[in-house]
Amino acid sequence: MSKKAVKDILDGMTKDDLVAWIRNQHFYQPKLSDVLYIRWQRQSAEVLEEMQKENRALDGVDFKERDRLAVRFNETKNAAEKLRLLELMQPYNKAMQDHIKRSQALDRKSKRVDALYEQIDVARQKERSF
């Protein structure tokens, strides 16, 4: 049987089906560390994908143009021109602020995933002591 066929069978099972099937497997009952590892593996892949996506989020933003506007802002004495330049820089600043917020959220999520990995070690130690 191909790997794709097995995946399709599992994808077609409901949560209740999967739980009942696992409980009927008398020769193998998953350990907490197994479940935590699967959870960590899935969440790690998700975080990595989100980080890669976020790293590409600013690809289309020309920060050199923002820097040129900032130089002009610093050089001018005209208040109206300063205001106009600030308004032109605003989209760049907002893009960077949004990127920073999303990156911080990803860092927090990554720390939760790392903590999950530490739980795997704790669970393995407990399982060995039984």
Side-chain angles (χ1 to χ4, degrees):
M1 187 177 272
S2 73
K3 189 173 185 175
K4 176 119 175 87
V6 171
K7 186 174 190 256
D8 290 344
I9 290 169
L10 293 176
D11 285 341
M13 295 175 79
T14 66
K15 178 182 175 182
D16 291 336
D17 293 339
L18 285 168
V19 170
W21 180 75
I22 291 169
R23 288 194 173 132
N24 285 324
Q25 303 301 313
H26 300 290
F27 58 90
Y28 180 73
Q29 289 292 317
K31 296 180 251 177
L32 177 60
S33 62
D34 296 334
V35 174
L36 290 173
Y37 181 78
I38 291 168
R39 192 174 294 158
W40 168 81
Q41 194 175 34
R42 183 178 39 79
Q43 290 179 14
S44 292
E46 289 172 5
V47 167
L48 182 61
E49 184 178 325
E50 289 176 32
M51 285 179 169
Q52 290 171 343
K53 181 181 174 186
E54 188 55 42
N55 288 338
R56 293 186 306 267
L58 295 179
D59 284 352
V61 181
D62 183 8
F63 284 102
K64 289 180 182 178
E65 176 60 22
R66 190 255 178 232
D67 292 343
R68 285 189 286 276
L69 292 169
V71 167
R72 287 176 45 202
F73 175 85
N74 290 332
E75 291 172 348
T76 189
K77 302 293 183 205
N78 184 320
E81 178 66 5
K82 280 188 178 275
L83 182 60
R84 187 183 78 77
L85 291 169
L86 279 175
E87 289 172 354
L88 291 173
M89 287 188 290
Q90 210 290 330
Y92 300 103
N93 295 339
K94 181 169 178 4
M96 182 54 77
Q97 289 170 352
D98 291 348
H99 171 72
I100 290 169
K101 285 178 186 177
R102 290 187 304 266
S103 294
Q104 289 171 338
L106 280 171
D107 286 343
R108 289 189 299 274
K109 188 173 184 178
S110 179
K111 286 179 183 174
R112 287 192 303 272
V113 172
D114 291 344
L116 182 59
Y117 194 81
E118 292 172 13
Q119 291 176 13
I120 295 168
D121 288 335
V122 171
R124 285 181 180 155
Q125 288 173 4
K126 287 180 182 178
E127 291 163 359
R128 285 187 204 123
S129 66
F130 286 109

